[in-house]
Every structure is written in structure tokens, then in C-alpha cells.
Amino acid sequence: MNMQVQTGVTPPPLPRSLDEMQLPMVMMRDILLKTIFRKNVDRVSTIAQAVSLPAPVTQELVDIAREQLLLEATGTLKATGSNEMSYQLTDNGRARAIDALQQSEYYGAMPVPLEVYHEQIKRQSIRNIQITRDHLTQSMGHLVLPDDLISTLGPAVSSGRSILMYGPPGNGKSSISNGIRDALGDKIYVPKAVEYAGQVITVYDPIVHSAAEEQIDDPTALRRAGNRFDHRYVLCERPTVITGGELSLDMLNLVYNPVARTYQAPLQMKATGGVFIVDDLGRQAEPPQALINRWIVPLEEGKDILALQSGEKFEVPFDTLVIFSTNFHPNEIFDQAALRRIFFKIKIDGPTQENFLKIFAMVARKRKMPLNEPALVHLLKRKYPTIDNNFANYQPVFLIDQMISICEFEGIPYQMSPELIDRAWANMFVRDEHIVK
């Protein structure tokens, strides 16, 4: 079965002229000069690659810089078979590049205007994805889940709306979140940087974004091999940002680098078109209510509000599937107004005894641990009644790994027995007792 969800994402069109770039001409010229200065590129083909523009548009920009006496042709052709002219910065061009670098260290790929990026987000919206039961079931294939959970999760994921998963710890909320991410399956276009009010905000982050393999076209070729999209974007898997107890409100703001004088997109903007998972909600330094309050406008209106260093605020699209995961009951950490704004609320309970045994057998087979009926009877009839038969998904892995460690220490083949069950069980819980200091 093919896991790819075909959504027909339309690629960002190639700009055909400087007019179509919708960027300030001085900004484009300065990025060109800074890039030539920093990367030491001297032919239109290599300059085009460095600034991520088509060669004809780059040539327009080079010609403007030449008219302004900032670039000059060297008068020599490169011995590469392409008969390309070489260019170099004039003294004025070098001085302008150095001055521009003092204003902003950004060089390389031309940024995408924020309004142009808006249009691309619409083409590849997370809400355009239609996930079938087969897709979601296969992405969760490594998990043993209650029969009705896929029926509950499916509409939540397909809607692209916010999801709150809650329930006892150790029952796979994080694994289910990752399965949802895997079910998305397709690819989108992530801008290397966007521009707003003359400021550059870097978006593409190799730590967050997994770039897909792509065919590299010759920028000087008349007929390209079909890789025709705006290369100011990177073709990526739909992004996933996972945060936990370390999440703070500051991490949801633009990050300003005072040395480079550029901005970095906040986490939720990097997750645009993908999934933002807030794991262990309630373990952060900020109260959960404060975190949810920060998300109210984005969740309801599909837009986020960011601020520049100057204090100027502006809107960016919010096109992200937000998944909150918590071990607390929602009524303990949110007020009803906040809960109304989370579209789907799904309880993840511990497994039934039947599903617990399925998980136990699956883990044992994977770990090459032979099953033993007396040991399982001892576990179910003697041990679990002491905790009111509260099964959890993490327990089979814990118990079997404990028995494996004991067997390796004792120098015996992998095996399970009532005695080994008792020794493993003793490490799964800490007795409630007073320690004399």
C-alpha cells in the first residue's frame, strides 16, 4: 500500500523578471553585491545559483549593478565551455557591499515577500489534505490501539484543526502524535527566507525541515528537466516541530540576531504546512493556560501576530496542525473558554488486558524473548491486581527490557519466569515510604 498522500501541491512559480520579484530594488541589488563579496562568485550561472534566482532575472540585476558602476566585466571568458563572461565588484561595489553587510549580514537566497509566501501557503495548506482510514491505520501500524481510536483521530487529522490528547502517562500519546505526522506523507515548499518591511526572516531550518532529494537543473540550459519551481524555496517533507517541557512563550516570538541584524522565524512559523506537537503540556515553566492564550488567535483565525524589534506588528499565516498532549485532565489546567478553542479533545486510556497481551507478545517477539505461560499468569494474576489492573502501554517494553538486562547479567539465555517477573516488577514502581535523613 502506498503511504504517500497525493495532494497535488502546486509549486511556487518561477519569477520571470525583476518586476515579478516584488522586492525593493535596493534590497535585491545589495543582496547581490553581498553574495558576490562573501561567496566569491563571478559568473551569472554561479551567481544565480547563489541567490536562488533564474539566470535571466539574475542577468537583469547584474546589468543594473553594472549601470550603477558597482560591477564590471573582467573582459575574459571562463574556460568552462559555456563562454560565460566573468564579473567582479568595482571599488565602489566593494565599498557598497561592506556598508550593506554592516546594515544586515544576510546574503545568499533572495527572500520571498510575505504576501507572495501567503499564496504558496494556500496552495499547500495542511487543510487541503484528505487522509483516509487506510493511510492513518498504516501510519499507526506499529501501535496496538483501541478499535474506535482511528475513527476518532481520522476526522481530527483531516480537518487540520487543533487536537488535545490527554490521559494517563505511558500510553502512547507521543507515539500517536508521531503516527499522525507520518500519515501526512507528502511534500511542500518551504522558503529559505521571507521579507517584510525590508527585514529578512529566515525560515528554512535543516534541523526542522527534511529536504527532499531533487534534480539539479543547469540554470543556463534553454530546456530544463522539469525541476521548474522558484528555488528560493526548498522542497521538504511536511515539517514537524516537537516541543516539551522546555517550551516557553519567548520561543513563539521572532528571534532577532543583533550581530547579523536578521530575524529567525519562531517555531510555529517553521511548522507552517505541517505539525506542531506540544508534548507534556503542564510541565512547562509557563502555566498551560498562558500557553493556550498565546494560541487563541492563531487557532481561531488562521493567522499569527509577530513583532519586529521596532515594535511594529504584522500578520503571518497560521497553517499548522497543533497537537497538545498532556497527562493532566483538561479541566485541571484549562478554563472552559480555552477548551472551546481546541477543536478535538481525545482521551488516550491504557490498554485493555487483551491489548496489553498483544503489545507484550509483539515486544517479546521483537526483542527475541520467548514467552512463558506461567510467567504471564503470574504477571496477570499476582502482580497487576496489586495496582488495580491499571495496564499501560509502556509496561511491556519496561518489563521485557528489565528481564533481558537480568539475563545478560546472569549469563543465561533470554527467558521469562515468575521470579524474573518479580525482579522486573520491583524496578517499575517506587514504594511510597518515608526516608530517614
Side-chain angles (χ1 to χ4, degrees), residues 50-88:
V51 297
S52 300
L53 293 180
V57 180
T58 306
Q59 184 67 64
E60 277 190 74
L61 205 48
V62 166
D63 290 343
I64 288 172
R66 288 184 71 189
E67 290 172 8
Q68 296 178 0
L69 304 180
L70 301 170
L71 270 183
E72 62 185 359
T74 62
T76 59
L77 297 175
K78 284 283 184 180
T80 59
S82 64
N83 293 326
E84 278 195 82
M85 181 66 70
S86 293
Y87 298 92
Q88 65 183 17

Side-chain angles (χ1 to χ4, degrees), residues 98-322:
I98 292 170
D99 184 54
L101 284 165
Q102 290 175 345
Q103 296 176 45
S104 167
E105 276 283 343
Y106 183 83
Y107 64 92
M110 289 288 170
V112 177
L114 187 59
E115 287 306 313
V116 175
Y117 178 44
H118 275 221
E119 297 305 310
Q120 185 56 33
I121 290 173
K122 293 176 186 175
R123 298 183 192 108
Q124 60 194 30
S125 172
I126 190 80
R127 293 178 175 83
N128 294 343
I129 291 181
Q130 291 300 312
I131 292 180
T132 66
R133 179 179 291 273
D134 285 345
H135 286 130
L136 193 56
T137 300
Q138 188 168 355
S139 72
M140 303 285 185
H142 61 299
L143 303 174
V144 176
L145 301 174
D147 293 336
D148 61 347
L149 186 56
I150 293 294
S151 298
T152 305
L153 282 172
V157 177
S158 289
S159 74
R161 307 290 289 272
S162 53
I163 301 172
L164 170 65
M165 292 191 293
Y166 67 97
N171 284 311
K173 293 186 290 295
S174 299
S175 298
I176 292 169
S177 298
N178 292 332
I180 290 171
R181 172 198 64 193
D182 295 341
L184 299 179
D186 63 344
K187 298 175 177 61
I188 62 170
Y189 297 87
V190 177
K192 296 170 185 174
V194 298
E195 175 269 343
Y196 172 77
Q199 301 297 315
V200 177
I201 303 166
T202 58
V203 179
Y204 174 72
D205 181 345
I207 296 174
V208 170
H209 302 109
S210 177
E213 291 186 9
E214 58 180 292
Q215 181 179 348
I216 303 299
D217 285 331
D218 179 357
T220 63
L222 292 176
R223 300 174 70 86
R224 292 188 164 194
N227 195 26
R228 294 180 64 82
F229 67 87
D230 187 341
H231 280 267
R232 292 178 294 170
Y233 294 80
V234 181
L235 182 62
C236 298
E237 308 291 339
R238 284 192 180 267
T240 301
V241 173
I242 304 176
T243 65
E246 78 283 0
L247 179 63
S248 66
L249 289 173
D250 285 345
M251 295 167 70
L252 304 178
N253 298 328
L254 280 175
V255 179
Y256 182 68
N257 184 327
V259 177
R261 294 180 178 84
T262 58
Y263 293 87
Q264 186 178 98
L267 293 176
Q268 72 276 17
M269 188 172 175
K270 292 180 181 179
T272 298
V275 182
F276 192 110
I277 299 172
V278 182
D279 210 355
D280 278 336
L281 187 64
R283 305 294 184 192
Q284 292 78 16
E286 263 93 351
Q289 185 71 45
L291 288 171
I292 287 293
N293 288 345
R294 171 62 179 81
W295 293 89
I296 285 176
V297 169
L299 291 176
E300 287 195 337
E301 301 184 19
K303 63 184 180 183
D304 198 7
I305 309 296
L306 300 178
L308 299 174
Q309 281 289 104
S310 63
E312 180 181 354
K313 295 183 177 180
F314 63 101
E315 293 181 3
V316 295
F318 188 85
D319 185 71
T320 308
L321 173 62
V322 182

